[in-house]
């Protein structure tokens, strides 16, 4: 099966991987029903307006989960959480970007619980997938929860990408929020990057910790560029006597809640979010 999604093609193994993970989690529904649930998720990830939080990002996160799978207790549940973590997405306004990168983890978690139980996964295991998705809302986790640590690290892994790929990630994030005025976007992004750099560590799992230095280098270089751009914006505003706000809530006004890492994640990491 080959599903075309913009410039990206869904790998032929993707749906069979979903079926295997669902079966591994205990799904008892007929194979065609499980496959249909996977097709519906692919359609969600392929929706218009997803320039970064799209099917390619899903494949990247799944690949990172597999890279860290040796550290998980229930890898199939982590993989299912990756499938659902950004299933519901909305890049409608600046507040969404500043606070959670457009990904609606709570709604996505509810969708996971509903669909997985309908496929015959036990309520306990489906609830675990739900909770793993919810944990991505703030990208903070107990290091002793290895499954959660791996999922969070996989979602942020784009932050540690080689510089050219990180540049492409930034381009895709901006395209996803092209409807935001430049000033609103820059202020939101500065807020996100500063919060990420302010964390004691970006990655929690032992294997994921190897990405820390590269991610901080990327974020630090990005912040320098953003602060220069913001200084120019502030200087232009001061010269024209224009206030930062035009009567609408700006991204910086909505910084009370911590952003998802891939904001993108989200910096999620092309978060490594936001995300993420």
């Amino acid at each position: 099966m080959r599903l075309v999604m913009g410039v990206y093609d869904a790998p032929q193994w993707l749906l069979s991987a979903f079926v295997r993970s669902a079966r591994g989690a205990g799904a008892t529904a007929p194979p065609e029903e499980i496959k249909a649930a996977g097709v519906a998720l692919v359609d969600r990830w392929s929706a218009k307006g997803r320039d970064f939080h799209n099917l390619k990002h899903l494949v990247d996160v799944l690949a990172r989960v597999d890279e860290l799978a040796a550290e998980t207790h229930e890898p199939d549940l982590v993989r299912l959480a990756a499938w659902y973590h950004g299933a519901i997405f909305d890049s409608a306004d600046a507040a969404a970007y500043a606070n959670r990168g457009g990904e609606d983890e709570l709604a996505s978690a509810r969708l996971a619980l509903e669909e997985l139980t309908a496929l015959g996964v036990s309520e306990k295991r489906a609830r675990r997938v739900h909770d793993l998705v919810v944990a991505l809302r703030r990208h903070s986790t107990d290091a002793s929860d290895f499954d959660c640590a791996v999922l969070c690290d996989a979602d942020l892994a784009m932050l540690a990408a080689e510089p050219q790929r990180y540049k492409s990630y930034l381009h895709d994030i901006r395209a996803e929020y092209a409807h935001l005025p430049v000033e609103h976007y820059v202020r939101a992004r500065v807020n996100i990057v500063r919060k990420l750099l302010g964390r004691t560590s970006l990655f929690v799992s032992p294997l994921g910790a190897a990405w820390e230095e590269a991610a901080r280098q990327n974020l630090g270089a990005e912040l320098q560029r953003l602060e220069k751009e913001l200084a120019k914006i502030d200087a232009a505003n001061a010269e024209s006597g224009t206030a930062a706000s035009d009567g609408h809530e700006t991204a910086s006004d909505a910084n009370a809640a911590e952003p998802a890492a891939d904001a993108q994640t989200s910096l999620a990491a092309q978060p490594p979010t936001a995300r993420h």
Side-chain angles (χ1 to χ4, degrees), residues 159 161-164 166-167 169-170 189-190 193-194 197 202 212-229:
L159 296 178
E162 60 274 15
Q164 196 58 38
Y166 189 80
K167 183 178 180 180
Y169 151 67
L170 295 179
R189 187 70 186 183
V190 166
V193 174
R194 283 175 176 168
L197 286 171
L202 294 166
E212 188 79 22
E213 183 177 356
R216 289 191 177 275
Q217 288 178 350
N218 283 335
L219 289 168
E222 181 189 357
L223 183 59
Q224 287 185 339
R225 294 192 298 269
L226 288 169
E227 288 178 335
K228 288 179 180 179
E229 187 171 1

Side-chain angles (χ1 to χ4, degrees), residues 116-137:
L116 291 175
T117 52
L119 293 176
V121 177
S122 69
E123 198 279 336
K124 180 180 179 180
R125 302 193 104 196
R127 176 67 63 179
R128 175 58 171 162
V129 174
H130 169 283
D131 293 347
L132 287 170
V133 174
V134 170
L136 288 179
R137 188 170 177 84

Side-chain angles (χ1 to χ4, degrees), residues 17-55:
F18 176 79
V19 172
R20 284 196 304 273
S21 294
R23 286 292 191 199
T28 58
E32 60 270 20
E33 289 186 21
I34 300 176
K35 185 175 181 180
V39 169
L41 283 169
V42 167
D43 287 344
R44 286 181 179 274
W45 283 98
S46 304
K48 184 179 179 180
R50 287 176 176 250
D51 292 271
F52 172 68
H53 294 92
N54 53 25
L55 201 62

Side-chain angles (χ1 to χ4, degrees), residues 15-210:
L15 284 179
S16 59
F18 176 79
V19 172
R20 284 196 304 273
S21 294
R23 286 292 191 199
T28 58
E32 60 270 20
E33 289 186 21
I34 300 176
K35 185 175 181 180
V39 169
L41 283 169
V42 167
D43 287 344
R44 286 181 179 274
W45 283 98
S46 304
K48 184 179 179 180
R50 287 176 176 250
D51 292 271
F52 172 68
H53 294 92
N54 53 25
L55 201 62
K56 185 175 184 295
H57 173 59
L58 170 61
V59 171
D60 285 345
V61 173
L62 287 169
R64 295 294 191 171
V65 168
D66 283 347
E67 191 174 336
L68 304 177
E71 298 183 352
T72 62
H73 289 308
E74 297 184 285
D76 285 318
L77 299 189
V78 179
R79 293 185 184 105
L80 288 174
W83 270 92
Y84 279 98
H85 84 278
I88 297 179
F89 178 86
D90 181 12
S91 63
D93 56 43
Y97 181 64
N99 293 331
R100 53 180 172 79
E103 292 179 328
D104 192 335
E105 292 88 358
L106 296 181
S108 296
R110 289 192 294 270
L111 179 71
L113 181 61
E114 176 184 332
E115 292 192 350
L116 291 175
T117 52
L119 293 176
V121 177
S122 69
E123 198 279 336
K124 180 180 179 180
R125 302 193 104 196
R127 176 67 63 179
R128 175 58 171 162
V129 174
H130 169 283
D131 293 347
L132 287 170
V133 174
V134 170
L136 288 179
R137 188 170 177 84
R138 292 187 179 277
H139 266 268
S140 58
T141 182
D142 182 346
S144 65
D145 187 341
F146 297 111
D147 290 345
C148 188
V150 163
L151 180 63
C152 288
D153 285 1
D155 191 40
L156 283 182
M158 182 52 60
L159 296 178
E162 60 274 15
Q164 196 58 38
R165 194 173 179 213
Y166 189 80
K167 183 178 180 180
S168 296
Y169 151 67
L170 295 179
H171 175 273
D172 292 342
I173 286 288
R174 182 61 182 117
E176 205 162 68
Y177 291 88
H179 55 284
L180 295 184
V182 172
E183 179 176 355
H184 294 186
Y185 178 83
V186 171
R187 292 187 185 280
R189 187 70 186 183
V190 166
N191 181 54
I192 288 169
V193 174
R194 283 175 176 168
K195 285 187 174 181
L196 285 169
L197 286 171
R199 294 183 179 182
T200 302
S201 60
L202 294 166
F203 302 101
V204 182
S205 67
L207 289 176

